[in-house]
Amino acid sequence: MSQFPDDGNGDMLQAMADAGLDLSQSMALDFYLVFPNRDKAEMALNALTALDQPGEVELNFNDLEQWELIVSLDMVPEHAAVTAKEAELDKFAKKFGGHNDGWGVMQHQEGDDEFADDDHECDDDCGHDH
């Protein structure tokens, strides 16, 4: 029986809990924002940087040939907080023709790759390892 709501974020949190991550601790969560072209992605990157948000942002050209911003935030992976952050970032990305495309956790430990979101397939050339 999952302790989380029955949705994509709940499934992700359950998988993290099953893998032994302590979900009461703050950790780096990577949120993926996808844009139609580099110009839009760079405009969004500049706007995010100007907001002086905590965390890191990097621009990446992914395997699906989409420009994406990876917004890495240290936060406690709590269902409501993650869902609210996704909504906030989606709203932000829409100003630049983009959208939120899920999130993942990149902890340096065995089996990190399990935590790529369903929509997000990583391979060796992927730039998600910090």
Side-chain angles (χ1 to χ4, degrees):
M1 179 65 193
S2 173
Q3 55 182 311
F4 302 104
D6 184 17
D7 61 15
N9 286 346
D11 295 346
M12 181 81 166
L13 290 165
Q14 186 63 53
M16 288 162 63
D18 290 347
L21 290 179
D22 181 352
L23 301 190
S24 67
Q25 298 297 312
S26 181
M27 60 183 76
L29 302 185
D30 291 344
F31 293 86
Y32 304 108
L33 305 181
V34 176
F35 297 89
N37 57 50
R38 181 169 189 147
D39 287 350
K40 297 277 195 208
E42 287 183 342
M43 283 165 67
L45 175 64
N46 291 336
L48 255 185
T49 308
L51 290 174
D52 201 26
Q53 287 222 106
E56 295 172 33
V57 187
E58 71 178 78
L59 181 60
N60 182 44
F61 188 59
N62 71 21
D63 302 337
L64 302 173
E65 305 207 342
Q66 295 170 310
W67 288 97
E68 68 182 1
L69 291 183
I70 304 168
V71 182
S72 184
L73 300 170
D74 279 318
M75 59 189 287
V76 175
E78 196 266 319
H79 190 275
V82 169
T83 302
K85 182 55 74 175
E86 277 196 307
E88 180 190 320
L89 288 170
D90 190 57
K91 194 170 163 187
F92 169 81
K94 281 189 166 65
K95 294 183 199 167
F96 303 94
H99 64 276
N100 176 271
D101 191 33
W103 60 282
V105 60
M106 291 292 152
Q107 296 294 73
H108 293 291
Q109 57 203 20
E110 293 302 311
D112 315 352
D113 299 341
E114 295 168 38
F115 301 126
D117 205 322
D118 294 343
D119 305 327
H120 199 89
E121 290 299 318
C122 291
D123 67 13
D124 295 334
D125 300 320
C126 188
H128 292 158
D129 284 329
H130 299 302

